[in-house]
Amino acid sequence: MKPIQANIKHLRSLKKLSQERFADELSWSRSMVGSYEEGRSEPPIDRLIDLSNFFDIPIDILVKNDLRKAKNTSFIEVGNKRVLFPVTVNEDNEDLIEIIPAKASAGYLSGYDDPEYIEQLQKIKLPFLPTGTHRAFPIKGDSMLPVKDGAFIVAKFVDDIRDVKNGRTYIILTKDDGLVYKRVYIPEGDQANLMLSSDNKTYQPYLIPRENILEIWEFTCCINTQEYDEKELKLSSIMMLFQELKVELEAVKRM
């Protein structure tokens, strides 16, 4: 079965439309819908355009990807188009956490909207997580100390960038830089950019255009792969205290 014929039937079913009602919506005949879904014929380009406009999904996604691997119509905005956002579930229909391995993190930029890429990732279930879609992302470097190199940030998918909370930490997928983990600030009076800042102040904050952001995930918890020593734990507690009080450590040093 080719993806397009499976996708037409799957997306129609998700919208709870009969073949007859679906045909009416597109100004097609019912027999045409049946022919495409059963694979007796393939939709020409003008029909593919109809489908793309109706479902608000790019034609290449409709043709190349098996959308049945998503549990619902979960999509993200890329420019003025919507792209499939795959969600993996177990046999009990519970959301699973896909783990992005460190070695494969560079490939996430090209595979984040590909169900086959997501399907191949290792998966875990953490029952204490809040409702929502989560993934675990590897952390590299020391820009977000006390989070160590090699740790994993488990984060919740943010559907709308307008829901970003000022001063919270996020995993961000950008067109140019791939995956980064930063503290995000909303510049006053600037609706076009976000300010990304490292907790390690040796790294300078920088602006990133909102239009360059492909995905954004809000921090839920951290899985460390290295043990902290006593000094690091004390430093971590102090930093968290000042962050909660919204006091910059640099300002404290000057007092």
Side-chain angles (χ1 to χ4, degrees):
M1 179 180 289
K2 293 185 177 181
I4 185 60
Q5 66 186 86
N7 290 341
I8 295 173
K9 183 175 182 179
H10 177 63
L11 294 171
R12 174 180 63 79
S13 298
L14 288 177
K15 285 186 172 288
K16 299 182 174 14
L17 295 175
S18 65
Q19 284 190 345
E20 185 174 2
R21 176 65 186 279
F22 182 55
D24 289 341
E25 292 283 341
L26 292 173
S27 300
W28 293 1
S29 66
R30 183 180 179 280
S31 61
M32 187 183 298
V33 174
S35 178
Y36 296 154
E37 291 187 353
E38 294 165 17
R40 290 183 279 112
S41 63
E42 295 185 12
I45 186 62
D46 58 328
R47 303 298 182 196
L48 290 175
I49 292 173
D50 289 342
L51 291 169
S52 176
N53 291 335
F54 183 78
F55 293 117
D56 200 14
I57 302 173
I59 291 176
D60 61 331
I61 296 295
L62 286 170
V63 173
K64 295 179 182 178
N65 297 276
D66 186 350
L67 304 188
R68 294 173 299 176
K69 294 179 180 178
K71 71 173 184 177
N72 53 29
T73 47
S74 300
F75 298 91
I76 58 173
E77 299 287 339
V78 179
N80 60 353
K81 295 183 178 180
R82 304 176 79 204
V83 175
L84 171 69
F85 178 73
V87 178
T88 306
V89 296
N90 62 13
E91 62 275 8
D92 298 320
N93 204 37
E94 299 171 313
D95 289 351
L96 298 177
I97 300 171
E98 295 100 2
I99 303 174
I100 313 301
K103 291 182 179 179
S105 61
Y108 187 76
L109 180 58
S110 59
Y112 72 97
D113 63 341
D114 183 352
E116 294 184 4
Y117 172 88
I118 300 303
E119 187 178 30
Q120 294 172 5
L121 298 174
Q122 293 184 353
K123 301 165 184 68
I124 59 173
K125 178 185 175 184
L126 296 178
F128 56 82
L129 292 181
T131 302
T133 301
H134 292 77
R135 281 188 185 150
F137 298 89
I139 299 303
K140 298 179 181 179
D142 62 352
S143 68
M144 291 299 287
L145 291 175
V147 177
K148 288 190 172 185
D149 182 87
F152 282 83
I153 296 296
V154 178
K156 179 181 178 181
F157 181 67
V158 177
D159 294 284
D160 192 330
I161 196 171
R162 291 172 295 184
D163 293 333
V164 168
K165 302 177 182 67
N166 196 46
R168 296 290 298 273
T169 62
Y170 294 85
I171 294 287
I172 299 172
L173 177 67
T174 70
K175 296 177 183 178
D176 300 325
D177 299 328
L179 288 171
V180 296
Y181 175 50
K182 298 294 179 185
R183 195 168 297 279
V184 176
Y185 294 96
I186 303 170
E188 186 174 353
D190 184 352
Q191 300 299 316
N193 301 289
L194 291 178
M195 176 73 75
L196 305 189
S197 178
S198 300
D199 285 352
N200 183 343
K201 297 307 178 184
T202 60
Y203 295 89
Q204 295 298 313
Y206 60 94
L207 289 174
I208 183 170
R210 296 191 182 208
E211 64 181 17
N212 286 353
I213 296 175
L214 300 177
E215 285 185 352
I216 188 163
W217 300 74
E218 184 177 4
F219 173 93
T220 298
C221 67
C222 179
I223 301 175
N224 290 308
T225 56
Q226 300 180 49
E227 184 178 7
Y228 286 110
D229 61 34
E230 185 178 358
K231 291 181 179 179
E232 288 176 321
L233 288 174
K234 288 181 179 179
L235 174 62
S236 174
S237 299
I238 293 171
M239 289 180 67
M240 288 181 65
L241 173 63
F242 283 125
Q243 287 167 4
E244 289 175 1
L245 294 173
K246 297 184 179 180
V247 175
E248 291 287 342
L249 291 177
E250 290 298 325
V252 175
K253 291 178 182 179
R254 292 194 294 268
M255 293 178 63

